[in-house]
Amino acid sequence: MKLSDVFQMPTPMKISGRSSSITAAFVTAIVPQVEPLEEEIREALNILEMSPDRMECVYCGGSYSEWDHLRPLVSDQKPTGFITEIRNLVPSCGKCNQSKGNKDWKAWMTSDAKLSPKTRGVKDIGLRIARLTKYEQWGNLVPLDLSAFVTKEEWDQYWENWKALLRAMNDTQKHAASLKATIQKKISSSNKAIQPTAKGGG
Ligand SMILES: [Zn+2]
């Protein structure tokens, strides 16, 4: 092992690198949430072969920590029309939720994506896919055209704001890169990091 093998520089953060989180926030901020009836929770758990005392991640069988959207809310930077309701939610562990992201659940489960059930060697993937297919049939999900519930003006204004924010983030990133280059150059011109001199200090 060389010294350079054990040292790793952290990846620098970019303001423009947060654009997919911003897009996700714009979509999820307008997606309606429908609280389930107790009967629906019971039905959902029956189909998933779980009970309040026997809960697990549907994808991998690990311990569940959240309910994950089976069909993603965002695709191609737009709302898919699927909403937050129990028929579109399944108990999931954080690892699976993170790894699945906005991917199609079935393709993801058997894909080589990092931390996918296949990658993690989950044994009963076929059984889990069959269960989830049954769940989807029960849910009978139809995507909604969210724009149809508001005026065109309200809808368009919202997405104009989204574009403006992304533009501002891109411009700000350019500004940041220029500031960083200047600062870095001054730092590098000395052998050690220079402490900026306090303003007004003699
Ligand atoms: Zn899982």
Side-chain angles (χ1 to χ4, degrees):
M1 275 266 177
K2 288 180 295 186
L3 288 175
S4 57
D5 289 335
V6 293
F7 175 77
Q8 200 184 352
M9 194 66 107
T11 310
M13 182 180 274
K14 275 190 176 179
I15 295 159
S16 50
R18 311 307 293 181
S19 63
S20 59
S21 327
I22 293 291
T23 301
F26 265 74
V27 173
T28 51
I30 59 168
V31 167
Q33 303 197 205
V34 182
E35 288 288 338
L37 301 169
E38 270 200 25
E39 186 49 39
E40 285 178 299
I41 305 176
R42 188 174 301 121
E43 272 185 68
L45 293 185
N46 273 343
I47 295 165
L48 298 175
E49 298 168 45
M50 294 182 206
S51 71
D53 304 318
R54 245 178 345 103
M55 296 291 293
E56 61 176 38
C57 170
V58 276
Y59 307 116
C60 74
S63 54
Y64 95 108
S65 55
E66 55 228 52
W67 285 70
D68 171 45
H69 290 97
L70 190 57
R71 301 283 195 100
L73 303 184
V74 190
S75 175
D76 203 16
Q77 300 194 304
K78 289 183 195 74
T80 56
F82 294 108
I83 66 168
T84 302
E85 56 180 328
I86 193 163
R87 288 158 194 275
N88 190 30
L89 292 167
V90 289
S92 167
C93 71
K95 267 183 198 167
C96 285
N97 196 355
Q98 284 282 312
S99 165
K100 176 168 155 282
N102 291 338
K103 300 180 197 72
D104 173 79
W105 67 264
K106 202 183 287 183
W108 163 75
M109 282 183 80
T110 54
S111 77
D112 294 318
K114 194 181 171 198
L115 295 181
S116 76
K118 183 193 164 195
T119 310
R120 279 155 63 211
V122 172
K123 294 278 186 290
D124 49 359
I125 291 185
L127 190 74
R128 293 181 178 282
I129 288 179
R131 243 181 241 150
L132 280 165
T133 303
K134 235 169 112 183
Y135 197 79
E136 261 197 334
Q137 283 162 358
W138 167 69
N140 191 24
L141 296 174
V142 180
L144 303 174
D145 177 6
L146 299 180
S147 69
F149 298 96
V150 294
T151 67
K152 186 178 185 313
E153 197 184 17
E154 284 171 316
W155 185 260
D156 290 348
Q157 182 61 57
Y158 190 69
W159 297 104
E160 279 307 315
N161 289 348
W162 167 67
K163 278 187 211 158
L165 189 53
L166 292 191
R167 267 197 306 271
M169 285 166 69
N170 274 323
D171 292 347
T172 308
Q173 176 55 41
K174 283 180 202 152
H175 191 175
S178 150
L179 292 184
K180 182 177 180 174
T182 307
I183 296 165
Q184 184 125 21
K185 207 169 154 190
K186 294 198 172 161
I187 296 253
S188 311
S189 65
S190 162
N191 275 339
K192 56 179 176 19
I194 311 164
Q195 294 296 321
T197 44
K199 267 184 194 154

